[in-house]
Amino acid sequence: MIEFSHVYKTYPGPTHALRDVELRVEKGEFVFLTGPSGAGKTTLFKMLSAYDKVTSGQIMVAGFDLTKIQEYEIPIFRRKIGVVFQDFKLLKDRTIAENVAIPLMIRGDRPQSIERRVREVLDQVGLRDRAHTLPEFCSGGEQQRAAIARAIVHQPGILIADEPTGNLDPKLAEEIMDLLERLCAQGTTVFVATHDHELVKRRKKRVLSLFKGQIQEGFL
Amino acid sequence: MIQKQLVKGLSDNLSIHVSSFLVLSLSFTVILGSLLINKNLNVGLSQWGSSLDMSVYLSSSVTPEQAQEVRIYLEGRSEVGEVKYISSEQAIETFQEQMATYAPDLFSDKSLSEVIPASFQMVLKKSVSAIEHSQVMAHIAQSLQSMSGVEDITWGQDWVQKYSMISRAIQSFTWTTIAILILGSLFVSANSIRASILRRREEVEILELVGASSTMIRTPYILESMIIAFLAFVASCLLCSGVFSVVQNQLQSSEDLSNLGRALVFASPLDLVLYLVITVGVSALSAWWVIRKINSGYAAASKGQIA
Ligand SMILES: Nc1ncnc2c1ncn2[C@@H]1O[C@H](COP(=O)(O)OP(=O)(O)O)[C@@H](O)[C@H]1O
Ligand SMILES: [Mg+2]
């Protein structure tokens, strides 16, 4: 469950990136977050993943109050969610498989089970033959899928994806969206930011729109 | 996880680590060398053993009570080791034994007892350092001077005083050097870890964002600097023991100084353990200081926070 109440985020400048954001996403829901570039989608996701602090307001995610969260609780919280970053955030000096394995290594899984699970996830996102390649030798689309694989490898209860299809051709984008829907069907809460209206329209899911930092609800 | 990060960190920044290892080795060597010099300052003093005792000559009219008072005073001082009373008769006997071969009937007992008075012979405990030695002796001598029944006091004032002075100078010089070098080592350790982190800042941020705890992120860096310090410690021990045995051999093979050569002491195992704890501990501490802010959960969001 995700709940924002009266959330404001102001960057130095000042830029009012989020203004009085109210939203509620139930467990197991699939929700799109749309809005033009600069609307505040990434900022909203940063708040949601305890990447940065809100200026004011309250955020509850999976039972954690992110405005009151203690330093030592942050890693615990982050292991419960999966985040696909808009800029992927892959480690440059590790292969795709090593990158995908990180959440499992952090959790302290055993090497054999890590290997098995990583192979499974790479198959799911169609990256099997790129497993031992460094990110810089992969295309944007491949890196994006690696980022998705890393976000879901530890089977988080909540998956947050910031423009996960931004670098994919339409066919691959549809495949990835299918994958996300499958995960949702298995019980994961999925929250996807995108500015691709066509894609949103086809999927017929709940849509939250951001515009200049303010939220409007509606089904497209 | 932590091992993998550690191996990566050590190999990624090999040139930084090698140069910090070299600087630390050198500075640890000078530190250990200085400690050895300080430790051996006392050895030089104890080589002139006979000059180290104090003779307290009592006047010929001394009463047993007065003599007892002198003994009580000497034995009451914590720095004083052995106190021996030599009566006039014993002194004469010794003297005659020594002179017997040269001049059998040189003095009659009567006239000798006028010349050779009873005395206390006293040495300080071994725990009194070369530097304190002359101060303690001078203080005791001063106190004794005012006691009745005491005629004269002799001890190796002159050269012990000089030796103490030189020792003190050497000691303050070495301690200053050590202090400067420890600060320098702290700085070198801290900087090599800082460089290591700066090169891998992005990695730290990413690990943090996928849920690595502070311990997981920090431990490899602290271990990294401890390993380098440990290697430098080993190198400095090897270098110092090498130089030490060369010096010792040279002293022993020279005629005048062979005693001194034999008496020189290297650091004891306990000294070395302490030294190890200090050098590695100081490095760990400085690494910890540099990275204490590296991961606060939000560090990734507020770049530029790394000290
Ligand atoms: N770290 C930052 N510092 C200052 N301004 C920022 C920062 N991040 C985003 N912004 C500003 O906040 C607004 C929202 O940005 P963002 O959340 O990235 O939008 P979106 O992801 O919808 O394109 C923009 O005006 C952007 O310039
Ligand atoms: Mg964005």
Side-chain angles (χ1 to χ4, degrees):
Chain A
M1 199 267 293
I2 300 168
E3 189 171 14
F4 278 49
S5 47
H6 303 295
V7 171
Y8 286 80
K9 177 65 183 180
T10 306
Y11 288 114
T15 306
H16 300 286
L18 294 178
R19 289 186 285 180
D20 199 17
V21 170
E22 295 271 340
L23 65 86
R24 200 182 155 87
V25 175
E26 298 302 332
K27 193 169 174 341
E29 249 191 303
F30 192 118
V31 180
F32 281 116
L33 180 65
T34 64
S37 175
K41 301 183 296 297
T42 298
T43 303
L44 192 148
F45 277 4
K46 279 182 179 171
M47 302 302 121
L48 186 51
S49 54
Y51 184 110
D52 202 353
K53 287 178 181 166
V54 297
T55 307
S56 69
Q58 198 190 32
I59 302 177
M60 296 289 299
V61 184
F64 287 86
D65 181 345
L66 297 188
T67 40
K68 293 206 188 79
I69 194 165
Q70 298 290 309
E71 247 178 53
Y72 74 89
E73 292 176 311
I74 292 175
I76 301 168
F77 165 71
R78 286 185 181 147
R79 288 175 214 179
K80 289 192 193 300
I81 62 172
V83 185
V84 182
F85 299 96
Q86 194 171 4
D87 54 353
F88 316 143
K89 296 200 189 293
L90 297 172
L91 293 174
K92 290 191 192 73
D93 57 351
R94 308 221 196 168
T95 64
I96 297 296
E98 285 172 334
N99 267 287
V100 172
I102 291 172
L104 302 179
M105 284 170 65
I106 285 173
R107 200 166 68 180
D109 284 12
R110 299 196 305 138
Q112 298 108 306
S113 79
I114 290 180
E115 207 179 309
R116 199 173 334 115
R117 175 68 186 148
V118 168
R119 205 175 314 126
E120 198 178 295
V121 174
L122 288 179
D123 277 347
Q124 270 184 322
V125 297
L127 277 182
R128 170 177 233 161
D129 54 341
R130 302 308 252 165
H132 304 297
T133 313
L134 289 175
E136 57 178 313
F137 300 114
C138 292
S139 70
E142 285 166 339
Q143 292 185 33
Q144 185 135 49
R145 282 181 281 155
I148 293 168
R150 190 185 60 193
I152 64 175
V153 71
H154 56 302
Q155 293 164 312
I158 298 174
L159 178 66
I160 302 159
D162 196 357
E163 314 258 5
T165 57
N167 290 274
L168 304 180
D169 59 51
K171 185 173 162 291
L172 258 177
E174 290 301 329
E175 274 177 35
I176 290 297
M177 291 313 301
D178 288 344
L179 171 66
L180 296 184
E181 277 200 36
R182 272 205 305 284
L183 288 169
C184 181
Q186 288 162 17
T188 309
T189 310
V190 180
F191 203 173
V192 182
T194 179
H195 59 255
D196 184 346
H197 281 284
E198 293 307 310
L199 186 143
V200 173
K201 268 183 202 160
R202 275 196 299 280
R203 294 280 156 176
K204 304 213 176 347
K205 297 284 181 188
R206 184 180 160 204
V207 179
L208 296 172
S209 302
L210 259 184
F211 188 72
K212 289 188 176 165
Q214 284 181 309
I215 214 138
Q216 284 134 21
E217 179 136 8
F219 291 83
L220 281 182
Chain B
M1 182 75 199
I2 287 173
Q3 294 114 292
K4 279 208 171 171
Q5 289 297 105
L6 177 62
V7 171
K8 260 218 140 63
L10 282 172
S11 55
D12 268 10
N13 302 289
L14 203 59
S15 66
I16 297 171
H17 292 325
V18 167
S19 52
S20 100
F21 162 76
L22 290 176
V23 175
L24 287 184
S25 300
L26 198 71
S27 116
F28 288 178
T29 303
V30 177
I31 291 175
L32 184 57
S34 306
L35 290 174
L36 286 176
I37 290 173
N38 271 344
K39 196 176 165 77
N40 281 294
L41 283 177
N42 278 326
V43 172
L45 188 67
S46 56
Q47 280 311 295
W48 287 271
S50 57
S51 322
L52 288 180
D53 53 8
M54 178 184 273
S55 300
V56 183
Y57 296 103
L58 303 173
S59 60
S60 49
S61 60
V62 70
T63 66
E65 291 76 25
Q66 285 169 337
Q68 187 60 18
E69 228 169 281
V70 171
R71 178 190 280 280
I72 285 168
Y73 170 76
L74 286 174
E75 285 176 346
R77 285 199 66 109
S78 58
E79 308 93 333
V80 172
E82 201 188 350
V83 179
K84 212 160 54 180
Y85 177 75
I86 296 167
S87 65
S88 181
E89 293 76 23
Q90 279 171 312
I92 291 164
E93 212 170 285
T94 320
F95 181 76
Q96 282 180 331
E97 267 167 30
Q98 284 169 353
M99 295 307 273
T101 43
Y102 306 106
D105 302 304
L106 188 59
F107 299 107
S108 70
D109 286 2
K110 196 88 194 115
S111 55
L112 262 179
S113 64
E114 302 282 304
V115 185
I116 304 182
S119 66
F120 282 107
Q121 302 284 327
M122 176 277 279
V123 287
L124 293 185
K125 283 185 182 146
K126 286 259 186 291
S127 57
V128 179
S129 77
I131 286 162
E132 300 159 326
H133 203 282
S134 78
Q135 280 167 338
V136 172
M137 284 295 222
H139 185 81
I140 292 176
Q142 205 181 10
S143 305
L144 288 170
Q145 218 108 57
S146 58
M147 292 179 83
S148 46
V150 173
E151 177 85 35
D152 193 15
I153 300 155
T154 63
W155 54 288
Q157 291 96 324
D158 260 11
W159 82 265
V160 170
Q161 226 151 20
K162 272 189 198 120
Y163 191 89
S164 288
M165 232 168 64
I166 294 167
S167 296
R168 208 169 314 148
I170 293 175
Q171 200 168 58
S172 45
F173 176 75
T174 50
W175 281 122
T176 313
T177 311
I178 288 170
I180 291 170
L181 286 175
I182 285 181
L183 281 178
S185 309
L186 258 168
F187 198 68
V188 168
S189 279
N191 268 315
S192 93
I193 291 304
R194 185 170 309 176
S196 201
I197 289 170
L198 284 179
R199 275 185 60 151
R200 299 199 293 155
R201 173 183 266 181
E202 208 185 349
E203 173 176 316
V204 168
E205 177 192 324
I206 291 169
L207 290 176
E208 185 179 76
L209 284 175
V210 294
S213 64
S214 300
T215 320
M216 282 177 190
I217 293 177
R218 288 176 190 168
T219 309
Y221 291 101
I222 295 179
L223 287 178
E224 216 172 281
S225 86
M226 287 174 78
I227 287 173
I228 293 165
F230 177 74
L231 293 177
F233 162 82
V234 171
S236 74
C237 286
L238 292 178
L239 259 165
C240 279
S241 68
V243 171
F244 181 83
S245 54
V246 167
V247 169
Q248 195 169 37
N249 281 340
Q250 249 162 21
L251 285 177
Q252 278 183 6
S253 60
S254 87
E255 300 234 329
D256 318 331
L257 297 172
S258 67
N259 274 341
L260 186 62
R262 260 191 297 282
L264 283 184
V265 283
F266 193 67
S268 68
L270 182 70
D271 291 341
L272 289 179
V273 169
L274 270 174
Y275 179 55
L276 171 72
V277 169
I278 289 171
T279 50
V280 173
V282 158
S283 300
L285 214 69
S286 67
W288 175 82
W289 178 252
V290 170
I291 62 175
R292 73 199 183 285
K293 280 199 207 147
I294 189 181
N295 165 281
S296 62
Y298 296 106
S302 43
K303 292 195 175 181
Q305 258 205 359
I306 295 173

